[in-house]
Amino acid sequence: MQELRSTDVLDKEIQTEARRKADKILKKAKEDSAQIVSSVDQNIEKLRKEKEEQENRKLEAFEKNQKAAVPLEKARFEVSYVQEKLSEGVNEWLSGLDIQKHLDLLFKNYKHQKGIKVHAYIYGFDFKTAKKYVEKVIGTDLTSCEETVFGKIVAEETCGLNNLEGVIIEADDKSIRFCLTMSRVIGNLFDTNRMELASALFGV
């Protein structure tokens, strides 16, 4: 009988200890769960803030770039507009000149050196008229004269010209070449007198 009581007491002690340990484990599990949930919430909040900061930095950088680009775009537009109007003005002026004056412009600074045999390439002009002009300037040193097209003999920019005209004079031995082209005449004019032209055009 005594032994049975001892066994009951032992069982109760074991059950009590087991419940105590179970309660302890459950409590620890709840604490760990709460900590994990709290940690997850903190991580989510941290990531959210980091994402917001990243997006804000991108937005600030975008705004900064846009603001910086405005003066550049404005300057590009102004330069493009002025160039367009200058080209329009030059084309209008050239259209009022006859072929003789066009050729005079090309040959303004040309001085032929006597005794050097040359041939000429002509484009953009009435060929017969331009050929007579070249023969008059060069005389018997002109060995040949042929018609060509813009950009075939030398690489050139159009400089916004509507009509592309030129006479290219080249020594027979290829030692000398003169590019007497309207695009170069107007290009040099733009390079050296752009401000004066713009002032005359816009009245500033």
Side-chain angles (χ1 to χ4, degrees), residues 21-36:
K21 287 184 177 180
D23 290 342
K24 186 178 180 180
I25 291 170
L26 183 59
K27 182 181 179 182
K28 182 70 167 59
K30 288 181 179 179
E31 290 174 353
D32 289 347
S33 297
Q35 187 175 0
I36 290 170

Side-chain angles (χ1 to χ4, degrees), residues 102-116:
H102 280 225
L103 288 163
D104 287 344
L105 276 173
L106 299 191
F107 281 82
K108 180 180 178 182
N109 297 316
Y110 176 76
K111 301 294 181 184
H112 180 69
Q113 189 173 341
K114 294 292 184 181
I116 296 180

Side-chain angles (χ1 to χ4, degrees), residues 6-161:
S6 297
T7 301
D8 289 341
V9 170
L10 184 59
D11 287 343
K12 288 179 180 178
E13 287 179 355
I14 290 171
Q15 289 175 7
T16 300
E17 180 65 19
R19 277 196 297 271
R20 188 182 66 78
K21 287 184 177 180
D23 290 342
K24 186 178 180 180
I25 291 170
L26 183 59
K27 182 181 179 182
K28 182 70 167 59
K30 288 181 179 179
E31 290 174 353
D32 289 347
S33 297
Q35 187 175 0
I36 290 170
V37 170
S38 176
S39 176
V40 168
D41 290 341
Q42 289 174 3
N43 288 337
I44 290 173
E45 181 64 18
K46 182 181 178 182
L47 289 172
R48 185 184 65 78
K49 287 182 178 179
E50 288 178 353
K51 189 67 175 176
E52 284 181 355
E53 290 173 358
Q54 185 179 15
E55 292 302 320
N56 286 337
R57 284 195 296 269
K58 286 182 179 179
L59 181 59
E60 288 173 1
F62 177 76
E63 289 177 349
K64 185 177 180 180
N65 289 337
Q66 289 299 305
K67 288 177 181 177
V70 168
L72 293 176
E73 288 302 318
K74 182 181 177 183
R76 287 194 193 101
F77 175 79
E78 288 175 349
V79 169
S80 176
Y81 179 78
V82 169
Q83 182 60 45
E84 180 183 344
K85 293 304 175 184
L86 285 176
S87 295
E88 287 178 5
V90 166
N91 280 310
E92 185 178 349
W93 172 65
L94 287 173
S95 67
L97 303 179
D98 60 25
I99 188 172
Q100 174 75 31
K101 287 188 171 62
H102 280 225
L103 288 163
D104 287 344
L105 276 173
L106 299 191
F107 281 82
K108 180 180 178 182
N109 297 316
Y110 176 76
K111 301 294 181 184
H112 180 69
Q113 189 173 341
K114 294 292 184 181
I116 296 180
K117 299 297 183 180
V118 298
H119 55 271
Y121 302 95
I122 297 170
Y123 67 85
F125 291 106
D126 173 74
F127 182 70
K128 289 182 178 179
T129 304
K131 182 181 178 184
K132 287 180 180 178
Y133 186 100
V134 174
E135 288 172 341
K136 183 179 178 181
V137 171
I138 297 176
T140 56
D141 284 336
L142 183 67
T143 59
S144 66
C145 194
E146 64 182 275
E147 195 167 10
T148 187
V149 294
F150 173 82
K152 183 177 180 180
I153 308 301
V154 292
E156 293 184 79
E157 296 290 336
T158 64
C159 293
L161 293 175

